[in-house]
Amino acid sequence: MSAFSNGDIFVGETLGTAALILLGGGVCAAVTLKKSKAINAGWLAITFGWGFAVLIAAYMSAPKSGAHLNPAVTLAIAVESGDWSKVPLYIGSQLIGAVIGAVLVWVTYLGQFQANEEPTLGIFSTGPEIRNPIQNLLTEIIGTFVLCFAILTQGLNKELGLSGLGILIVALTVVGIGLSLGGPTGYAINPARDLGPRIAHSFLPIPHKGGSDWSYAWIPVVGPVIGGLLAGGLFHVTF
């Protein structure tokens, strides 16, 4: 983290996370909203859409900030490296970017949102299929651990980073997590990805949008934070 200036971190993480949410939230809107050409495209479209979102956003932001785009990843790297000096800047920038990205999803699908007659929180944030706080929390911890540990272990192969293939592998990891572990909760695996769009959902003037489910909102924040910390701690001990 210390390799990047404060200004570069802010620009890279804000723009990168905004792009992540624009494209990831965009595929959710495309699949969900009436009058969208992609309506009912299904879970495969969503998982691959989010994977491509990670791929594009990370390539955009990597030269500026290292492309964390996720507070859980930032925390995992901080635990592994012992450098906590820029953690607040990273996380704050990611949250700002996530709100911006969610607003851009709304702008992009404005006509579809205006014609909306159903709750829309699922376009912006995650929710469980079975509401069981312990299971939901564990699911988010496990999924985020897999993501963060995979990212950290890539650092052992410098050729991957130099070639740019590491970003592609992370994107495919996100697709794999979505396909294998995303069923119970919708796989937030990123506190900013869930909280920023949930905040945007709460203030955007969307007809019939329903509530923002703040009683659940702590799980996709706390679960990924724990998962990231565990991944960083285990990597630090074992490698």
Side-chain angles (χ1 to χ4, degrees):
M1 286 186 272
S2 59
F4 303 100
S5 70
N6 290 346
D8 282 348
I9 290 170
F10 178 77
V11 171
E13 292 297 300
T14 300
L15 292 179
T17 310
L20 172 68
I21 301 304
L22 170 61
L23 298 174
V27 72
C28 293
V31 170
T32 302
L33 291 170
K34 294 180 180 179
K35 305 298 183 181
S36 164
K37 293 182 180 295
I39 189 169
N40 297 326
W43 189 246
L44 281 176
I46 290 174
T47 53
F48 276 93
W50 274 103
F52 290 134
V54 170
L55 182 71
I56 294 166
Y59 275 123
M60 287 173 56
S61 61
K64 281 287 189 182
S65 63
H68 294 193
L69 310 179
N70 183 341
V73 171
T74 298
L75 291 171
I77 293 171
V79 171
E80 187 278 326
S81 66
D83 181 6
W84 294 80
S85 60
K86 297 187 177 181
V87 167
L89 175 60
Y90 268 92
I91 293 177
S93 302
Q94 291 154 5
L95 187 58
I96 292 170
V99 174
I100 293 171
V103 172
L104 291 175
V105 171
W106 172 67
V107 172
T108 303
Y109 284 89
L110 184 60
Q112 285 74 23
F113 277 114
Q114 291 300 319
N116 174 66
E117 297 177 354
E118 302 289 339
T120 56
L121 180 60
I123 293 171
F124 293 87
S125 297
T126 61
E129 287 300 299
I130 298 174
R131 191 170 291 261
N132 182 319
I134 294 176
Q135 179 201 335
N136 303 151
L137 184 67
L138 289 173
T139 298
E140 289 295 332
I141 291 171
I142 292 167
T144 310
F145 178 91
V146 172
L147 172 65
C148 293
F149 204 78
I151 290 172
L152 291 173
T153 52
Q154 282 185 51
L156 301 174
N157 189 331
K158 294 182 179 179
E159 287 74 18
L160 281 178
L162 292 173
S163 67
L165 284 176
I167 290 175
L168 175 60
I169 293 171
V170 171
L172 292 175
T173 300
V174 171
V175 174
I177 292 170
L179 292 173
S180 300
L181 307 176
T185 63
Y187 73 116
I189 61 173
N190 181 339
R193 170 264 176 275
D194 194 275
L195 181 58
R198 197 180 297 269
I199 292 170
H201 177 268
S202 71
F203 67 73
L204 287 172
I206 301 171
H208 311 291
K209 66 180 179 179
S212 300
D213 197 8
W214 290 107
S215 64
Y216 179 79
W218 68 274
I219 289 175
V221 172
V222 174
V225 165
I226 295 173
L229 292 173
L230 289 175
L234 183 62
F235 183 87
H236 184 74
V237 169
T238 55
F239 287 92

